[in-house]
Amino acid sequence: MNKPNTRILDYVTLVQDGVMTVDDAPQDIRAEVTKWVRYFAGIKDDSMVKDPESATPAPQPEKKQDATSFLTKKVTD
Protein backbone atom coordinates (compact mmCIF):
# COMPACT_ATOMS: atom_id res chain seq x y z
CA MET A 1 0.00 0.00 0.00
CA ASN A 2 1.46 3.34 -1.04
CA LYS A 3 1.69 6.20 1.39
CA PRO A 4 -0.89 8.96 0.94
CA ASN A 5 0.31 12.42 0.02
CA THR A 6 -0.34 15.51 2.13
CA ARG A 7 -3.35 16.61 0.07
CA ILE A 8 -5.10 13.28 0.62
CA LEU A 9 -4.28 13.29 4.32
CA ASP A 10 -5.69 16.81 4.65
CA TYR A 11 -9.02 15.66 3.22
CA VAL A 12 -8.97 12.49 5.35
CA THR A 13 -8.52 14.65 8.45
CA LEU A 14 -11.40 16.92 7.44
CA VAL A 15 -13.65 13.89 6.93
CA GLN A 16 -12.64 12.36 10.27
CA ASP A 17 -13.29 15.66 12.06
CA GLY A 18 -16.76 15.85 10.54
CA VAL A 19 -16.04 19.10 8.70
CA MET A 20 -16.90 17.50 5.36
CA THR A 21 -17.90 14.17 3.85
CA VAL A 22 -16.00 12.01 1.38
CA ASP A 23 -18.43 13.16 -1.31
CA ASP A 24 -17.15 16.72 -0.83
CA ALA A 25 -13.58 15.71 -1.70
CA PRO A 26 -12.35 16.58 -5.21
CA GLN A 27 -13.23 13.94 -7.81
CA ASP A 28 -9.60 13.22 -8.73
CA ILE A 29 -8.70 12.04 -5.20
CA ARG A 30 -12.07 10.85 -3.88
CA ALA A 31 -11.20 7.14 -4.24
CA GLU A 32 -7.92 7.60 -2.39
CA VAL A 33 -9.59 9.63 0.37
CA THR A 34 -12.22 6.91 0.75
CA LYS A 35 -9.54 4.23 0.90
CA TRP A 36 -7.57 6.02 3.62
CA VAL A 37 -10.61 6.99 5.67
CA ARG A 38 -11.63 3.34 5.69
CA TYR A 39 -8.06 2.27 6.51
CA PHE A 40 -7.77 4.62 9.48
CA ALA A 41 -11.24 3.61 10.69
CA GLY A 42 -10.12 -0.03 10.78
CA ILE A 43 -12.51 -1.26 8.08
CA LYS A 44 -10.93 -4.32 6.52
CA ASP A 45 -13.56 -5.41 3.99
CA ASP A 46 -16.14 -3.84 1.69
CA SER A 47 -19.21 -5.22 3.42
CA MET A 48 -21.75 -2.89 4.92
CA VAL A 49 -23.00 -5.45 7.45
CA LYS A 50 -23.18 -4.23 11.01
CA ASP A 51 -21.15 -5.96 13.65
CA PRO A 52 -23.55 -8.33 15.46
CA GLU A 53 -21.88 -7.53 18.78
CA SER A 54 -22.66 -3.84 18.35
CA ALA A 55 -26.39 -4.61 18.24
CA THR A 56 -26.32 -5.71 21.86
CA PRO A 57 -27.02 -2.96 24.38
CA ALA A 58 -24.11 -1.46 26.23
CA PRO A 59 -23.56 -2.85 29.71
CA GLN A 60 -25.04 -0.70 32.44
CA PRO A 61 -22.84 0.31 35.35
CA GLU A 62 -23.58 -1.37 38.64
CA LYS A 63 -25.54 0.69 41.12
CA LYS A 64 -23.34 1.44 44.06
CA GLN A 65 -24.67 2.16 47.48
CA ASP A 66 -24.72 5.85 48.26
CA ALA A 67 -21.95 6.74 50.68
CA THR A 68 -24.34 8.85 52.78
CA SER A 69 -27.20 6.34 52.89
CA PHE A 70 -26.12 5.08 56.28
CA LEU A 71 -26.89 8.52 57.75
CA THR A 72 -30.59 8.19 56.99
CA LYS A 73 -31.03 4.88 58.80
CA LYS A 74 -32.38 5.05 62.33
CA VAL A 75 -30.68 3.08 64.99
CA THR A 76 -33.05 1.37 67.40
CA ASP A 77 -32.04 -0.17 70.68
Side-chain angles (χ1 to χ4, degrees), residues 4-35:
N5 62 30
T6 305
R7 182 177 178 218
I8 293 170
L9 283 178
D10 288 343
Y11 280 100
V12 168
T13 302
L14 290 170
V15 170
Q16 288 176 332
D17 289 345
V19 175
M20 62 185 300
T21 63
V22 174
D23 293 332
D24 297 329
Q27 185 67 33
D28 62 327
I29 61 169
R30 188 172 296 158
E32 285 293 309
V33 171
T34 302
K35 178 178 86 171

